[in-house]
Amino acid sequence: MPIPEPTLTGTVRFRDWQTWYRITGDLESAKTPLVVLHGGPGAAHNYTLRIAGLAGQGRAVVHYDQLGIGNSTHLPGKGADFWTVQLFLDELDNLLAALGLSGGYHVLGQSWGGMLAAEHSVRRPAGLKSLVIANSPASMELWLSEAARLRALLPPEVQKTLGEHEAAGTTEHPDYKAAEAVFNARHVCRIVPNPPEVAATFAAIDADPTVYHTMNGPNEFHVIGTLKDWTIIDRVDRIAVPTLLVSGRHDEATEATVRPYADRIPDVRWEIFEDSSHMPHVEEEEAYLRLVGAFLDEND
């Protein structure tokens, strides 16, 4: 389906920088707005744009680029001590206040965005109505363990190429990138070639990998950045709003990585998309929008 055109785009000031946002639909609608948190960290909003289709159900959808990527301020000179979870929590709070949403909103976080959304939710913000955690691990220990398992299922020559270049520190080599693409076609987005909005996000990372490389690492399965020890398992029981978990049957965020959310959040349901990997909002778009739209309607 065509991606809806935005109703409004703009920026809000965050400390000395700018956070870019995109609104689809009418913020004055009777339905509570949805704020979408993209992945990465540092992956840009583009690949999540099909979620703007929820505006066709009469709900405003807010996308934004987190600091350091896309249309927001880039800060390539900042080091690991700057790029923290707290920074992005503060940026989200600032955006909600600037757009007048703090009193009532839903949050949908995809991949790293779901991790950030969970961090936001355990703090029990007063205006949060419900939470969608999409394709997100509850800890990076689980993510790394499952990534190793999925890598072991790749063709032997692909595994060999990955291991050799990681050991040599040559993860920008074309052969490594080609091997990485084999993993991505299985577990990140099974629509190949990728749709334009997905390709745009990968291009944004290539153009400025500061945040992604610092917090994550060179790719989805070789995580050596500052998030490698992150976990929220011991805190997810503090989430006090209805929560929808979404994942794909072929997802790099495997069932094992999502399970702690399902086991520990008090009011939770879990939907697995059988024909999807890490991006069911792209791979099974219509079913995804129906599911998420109905969940949000229930919790307005």
Side-chain angles (χ1 to χ4, degrees):
M1 295 185 290
I3 294 171
E5 292 296 320
T7 308
L8 177 68
T9 62
T11 60
V12 301
R13 186 174 183 82
F14 173 54
R15 300 178 186 170
D16 293 330
W17 314 295
Q18 299 292 325
T19 300
W20 177 90
Y21 65 87
R22 177 195 200 272
I23 299 172
T24 311
D26 183 4
L27 286 179
E28 301 303 317
S29 166
K31 292 189 175 185
T32 304
L34 172 68
V35 181
V36 179
L37 314 186
H38 67 70
H45 77 284
N46 309 74
Y47 79 100
T48 65
L49 275 174
R50 292 192 177 275
I51 299 169
L54 289 166
Q57 301 174 17
R59 182 184 307 282
V61 180
V62 179
H63 285 82
Y64 73 103
D65 279 330
Q66 295 162 25
L67 193 66
I69 196 65
N71 299 310
S72 292
T73 304
H74 289 231
L75 296 162
K78 296 292 188 181
D81 58 339
F82 178 81
W83 301 109
T84 63
V85 173
Q86 188 61 52
L87 172 75
F88 293 107
L89 287 170
D90 293 346
E91 182 185 32
L92 174 57
D93 286 343
N94 182 75
L95 179 73
L96 292 170
L99 296 181
L101 302 180
S102 300
Y105 60 97
H106 303 285
V107 164
L108 185 157
Q110 199 280 335
S111 196
W112 146 255
M115 297 156 62
L116 180 61
E119 289 277 9
H120 178 74
S121 301
V122 299
R123 290 158 171 77
R124 298 186 174 181
L128 182 63
K129 301 284 189 181
S130 76
L131 172 65
V132 182
I133 297 175
N135 320 98
S136 305
S139 82
M140 294 310 288
E141 180 181 4
L142 287 172
W143 178 272
L144 287 167
S145 173
E146 287 295 281
R149 182 178 68 81
L150 294 176
R151 279 180 61 153
L153 300 175
L154 295 172
E157 64 275 14
V158 173
Q159 295 182 51
K160 181 173 181 290
T161 299
L162 293 173
E164 288 177 350
H165 283 286
E166 287 165 3
T170 52
T171 54
E172 295 301 313
H173 192 281
D175 290 348
Y176 185 84
K177 292 294 187 182
E180 178 185 315
V182 176
F183 180 92
N184 289 351
R186 290 187 179 195
H187 302 299
V188 180
C189 182
R190 289 161 63 86
I191 300 175
V192 179
N194 293 160
E197 74 277 9
V198 177
T201 278
F202 285 124
I205 297 172
D206 288 342
D208 186 351
T210 302
V211 184
Y212 189 77
H213 283 184
T214 301
M215 296 185 74
N216 184 77
N219 57 44
E220 296 293 282
F221 49 82
H222 188 45
V223 179
I224 55 176
T226 58
L227 280 178
K228 65 182 183 297
D229 297 319
W230 177 87
T231 183
I232 201 167
I233 293 174
D234 59 339
R235 294 175 286 140
V236 291
D237 56 357
R238 301 178 196 171
I239 295 176
V241 295
T243 302
L244 172 65
L245 303 178
V246 174
S247 61
R249 183 63 68 191
H250 309 281
D251 204 333
E252 58 181 341
T254 66
E255 292 179 46
T257 72
V258 178
R259 173 64 61 186
Y261 292 122
D263 288 346
R264 297 182 63 86
I265 296 175
D267 182 359
V268 65
R269 67 185 79 171
W270 187 3
E271 182 77 20
I272 299 175
F273 284 82
E274 295 295 331
D275 297 320
S276 292
S277 57
H278 198 51
M279 300 186 187
H281 60 279
V282 174
E283 296 161 294
E284 296 183 68
E285 178 184 359
E286 291 187 35
Y288 185 97
L289 295 180
R290 280 198 305 272
L291 173 74
V292 174
F295 173 75
L296 298 177
D297 285 345
E298 290 172 17
N299 293 291
D300 274 341

